[in-house]
Amino acid sequence: MNQNTEQLRTDPIGRLLFKLSLPAMIGMLVTALYNIIDTIFVARGIGATAVAAIGIAFPIQMILMAVSSAVGLGGASISSRKLGKGDDAGAAVTFLNVLVLVGVFAAFAVSSAFFMLDDILTVFGATSAIMELSRQYLSVVLISSPFFMFTLAASAMVRAEGQAPYQMKVMLTTVVVNLVTTPLFIFTFGWGIYGAAWSTALAQVVGSVLMLRFFFSKNRRTELDFQWRKFRLRFGELKEIMAIGSSSFIMMVSQSILFVGVNVMLGTYGGTEELAIFAIINKFMALVGMPIMGIVQGMQPIVGYNFGARQFDRMRETIWTALRVGIAIAVIIWLTLQLIPEQLMRMFTTDANLIAGGVTAIHVLFAVSFLPSVQMLINGIYQSLGKARVAMFLSLSRQTLYTIPLVFILPNFFGVFGVWLAFPIADAMTFLTAVGMAVWDRKLLFRPSEEEVEAKATNL
């Protein structure tokens, strides 16, 4: 049996979830903190206009992240279940199919973005005041995007094999590279926004090299046996990978569309100041969601593996433990944002108007930000079980069904305040939707016997 995955079958659930989630949580939390610190460097070294420019470019990066994350998560779900059945060779073939998909998507997406860069930035809300800075930043970051896309997809496969600590090391290394080079390029070399872009690009290349080393070095730590001569594209499996990963893809693309909508409405009812405020708040939105995603990523290989191994008691225990821990973390982060919003804004700027506007936005936008953690965890459960349609619906619920329409409707009545108000209303509706789905499928998710699982899985 694969030594890396034996722990998924036998280790105590609490300790195992901690072992697999903590590296992902630390890695994502550090990444979120890096994004905050990086934005501070840009705000202090270049100005609020540059922060707004990077905020406009972010949705484009989100789309590329969505593609690679979807492919990686779909492949990881299949691999986890294959490893649970002892099919190590099948899991290796799945990973090779993941690599092919990511390569094709990266080539198409990046080349298309280069040819239509100005048009894309205009549609995404870039005003004349920030267009040139957005173009400068994105033209550099697009070059390194294929490396970043590979790293994201490979990270999911690393987790599927129970090797989350290595993923954490990769993420921490890229963060350190970025934190060292960003102030160096901006303040010492005087490269301005190009410095921020080249720092990001360098970190992405470093991350991809470390991932390649994990899978393909002579002293590799994975037991996946890649037999390239025997490899064939499995179009049925490619379809399954995309079906399972489609929920994550739709969720991240919807988030990108949401950010575009917010930028457009803020540009319509406000201006550069409001765009800068949202670009700053974006970083705290990541801070709210990334630790929960760490729990999800630690939970998924355990749930998927034990579902494949038909150890349903361990699957159920993992789900309940993840829910309790995830909700507790979300509440702690929510309290922090509500108690010290002014101090958080002062890290980025000394402008009194930006600070006052940011404090109001944080109070309103994050009013019930702990509730979506439940949706994220339940969606992760469905993904790990390969229930693509249900996971897709839950992914659609938050951004596409609720937040995006509200962002376009409420500002017509409340102006900029309506943009901020859309988020807590959507968060509450998302929570109710996810809980309703979990209650409906409670026998599959929380009280499964082998017969009940087989009957329910057949009907989904």
Side-chain angles (χ1 to χ4, degrees):
M1 182 176 293
N2 190 311
Q3 295 177 4
N4 291 330
T5 54
E6 172 65 12
Q7 60 181 335
L8 301 176
R9 181 188 297 269
T10 60
D11 283 9
I13 292 299
R15 185 173 67 188
L16 181 59
L17 183 63
F18 179 81
K19 179 180 178 181
L20 297 184
S21 296
L22 185 62
M25 287 175 59
I26 292 175
M28 288 192 164
L29 185 60
V30 170
T31 300
L33 291 174
Y34 145 70
N35 285 326
I36 291 173
I37 296 171
D38 195 51
T39 303
I40 293 173
F41 288 144
V42 172
R44 299 282 184 175
I46 310 173
T49 303
V51 175
I54 293 176
I56 293 294
F58 184 67
I60 300 174
Q61 296 173 276
M62 284 287 297
I63 293 174
L64 300 180
M65 291 169 60
V67 173
S68 50
S69 295
V71 174
L73 288 172
S77 175
I78 297 171
S79 292
S80 290
R81 284 176 276 132
K82 285 184 176 180
L83 291 169
K85 297 174 182 177
D87 184 11
D88 292 359
V93 171
T94 298
F95 178 51
L96 295 177
N97 278 275
V98 165
L99 292 183
V100 170
L101 270 179
V102 169
V104 171
F105 284 135
F108 174 77
V110 174
S111 59
S112 299
F114 266 117
F115 280 113
M116 301 182 293
L117 188 58
D118 284 3
D119 293 335
I120 292 173
L121 288 173
T122 300
V123 171
F124 280 25
T127 62
S128 57
I130 61 176
M131 172 64 81
E132 181 58 28
L133 287 174
S134 294
R135 184 190 301 116
Q136 291 173 4
Y137 179 81
L138 196 58
S139 62
V140 173
V141 172
L142 281 174
I143 296 173
S144 63
S145 291
F147 298 96
F148 185 49
M149 294 174 72
F150 163 75
T151 302
L152 286 177
S155 293
M157 302 303 297
V158 169
R159 293 192 304 272
E161 206 181 357
Q163 291 294 303
Y166 187 85
Q167 182 211 8
M168 180 189 71
K169 292 178 182 178
V170 173
M171 294 182 72
L172 291 177
T173 301
T174 59
V175 166
V176 169
V177 170
N178 217 321
L179 288 179
V180 170
T181 56
T182 298
L184 180 67
F185 292 168
I186 292 177
F187 296 103
T188 304
F189 294 171
W191 291 354
I193 200 164
Y194 277 120
W198 279 113
S199 175
T200 298
L202 178 61
Q204 290 175 348
V205 172
V206 169
S208 66
V209 170
L210 292 176
M211 277 297 174
L212 285 170
R213 178 177 176 272
F214 178 84
F215 284 106
F216 300 110
S217 69
K218 292 181 179 179
N219 299 320
R220 63 189 185 188
R221 299 175 58 185
T222 176
E223 295 187 21
L224 297 179
D225 184 16
F226 300 104
Q227 299 182 26
W228 292 96
R229 294 180 180 178
K230 297 181 180 179
F231 171 67
R232 295 291 184 275
L233 281 178
R234 296 181 178 179
F235 292 100
E237 186 163 277
L238 293 178
K239 181 179 179 181
E240 185 180 1
I241 288 171
M242 292 308 302
I244 296 171
S246 61
S247 61
S248 289
F249 174 78
I250 290 173
M251 182 171 63
M252 295 185 73
V253 169
S254 297
Q255 190 171 7
S256 179
I257 295 172
L258 170 61
F259 290 162
V260 172
V262 170
N263 287 331
V264 169
M265 299 307 284
L266 289 178
T268 301
Y269 292 92
T272 301
E273 184 176 290
E274 285 74 21
L275 288 170
I277 288 172
F278 184 65
I280 292 171
I281 289 178
N282 257 341
K283 311 307 176 182
F284 296 118
M285 292 174 71
L287 187 65
V288 171
M290 282 188 173
I292 309 305
M293 282 305 301
I295 295 291
V296 172
Q297 291 179 5
M299 170 194 71
Q300 285 181 319
I302 309 174
V303 171
Y305 183 96
N306 284 287
F307 183 80
R310 314 195 75 76
Q311 297 192 116
F312 302 122
D313 288 343
R314 286 177 60 80
M315 185 188 85
R316 179 187 63 225
E317 184 182 352
T318 302
I319 291 171
W320 278 116
T321 304
L323 283 169
R324 289 193 295 267
V325 174
I327 293 170
I329 292 172
V331 169
I332 292 171
I333 296 173
W334 168 74
L335 284 172
T336 302
L337 291 169
Q338 293 298 319
L339 291 175
I340 57 170
E342 183 174 344
Q343 292 86 333
L344 295 174
M345 287 300 299
R346 287 189 182 278
M347 294 190 304
F348 298 89
T349 181
T350 57
D351 187 301
N353 291 330
L354 275 179
I355 293 171
V359 168
T360 299
I362 289 173
H363 276 310
V364 177
L365 192 148
F366 295 109
V368 291
S369 58
F370 56 89
L371 293 180
S373 62
V374 176
Q375 182 261 351
M376 295 170 67
L377 289 159
I378 292 174
N379 187 59
I381 296 167
Y382 279 114
Q383 282 184 325
S384 61
L385 297 179
K387 309 306 176 187
R389 287 180 294 176
V390 183
M392 181 183 297
F393 173 77
L394 286 178
S395 296
L396 283 169
S397 66
R398 187 179 183 188
Q399 278 92 9
T400 306
L401 298 183
Y402 303 138
T403 315
I404 292 175
L406 289 170
V407 161
F408 283 101
I409 293 171
L410 294 183
N412 294 292
F413 302 97
F414 304 106
V416 169
F417 183 80
V419 176
W420 312 139
L421 186 61
F423 286 85
I425 295 175
D427 287 346
M429 297 171 72
T430 297
F431 169 79
L432 294 174
T433 300
V435 170
M437 293 298 299
V439 171
W440 179 266
D441 281 328
R442 59 190 179 275
K443 288 185 178 181
L444 173 65
L445 303 182
F446 302 110
R447 293 196 310 232
S449 66
E450 185 167 334
E451 294 77 13
E452 289 171 337
V453 169
E454 290 177 347
K456 194 70 176 179
T458 300
N459 294 328
L460 282 178

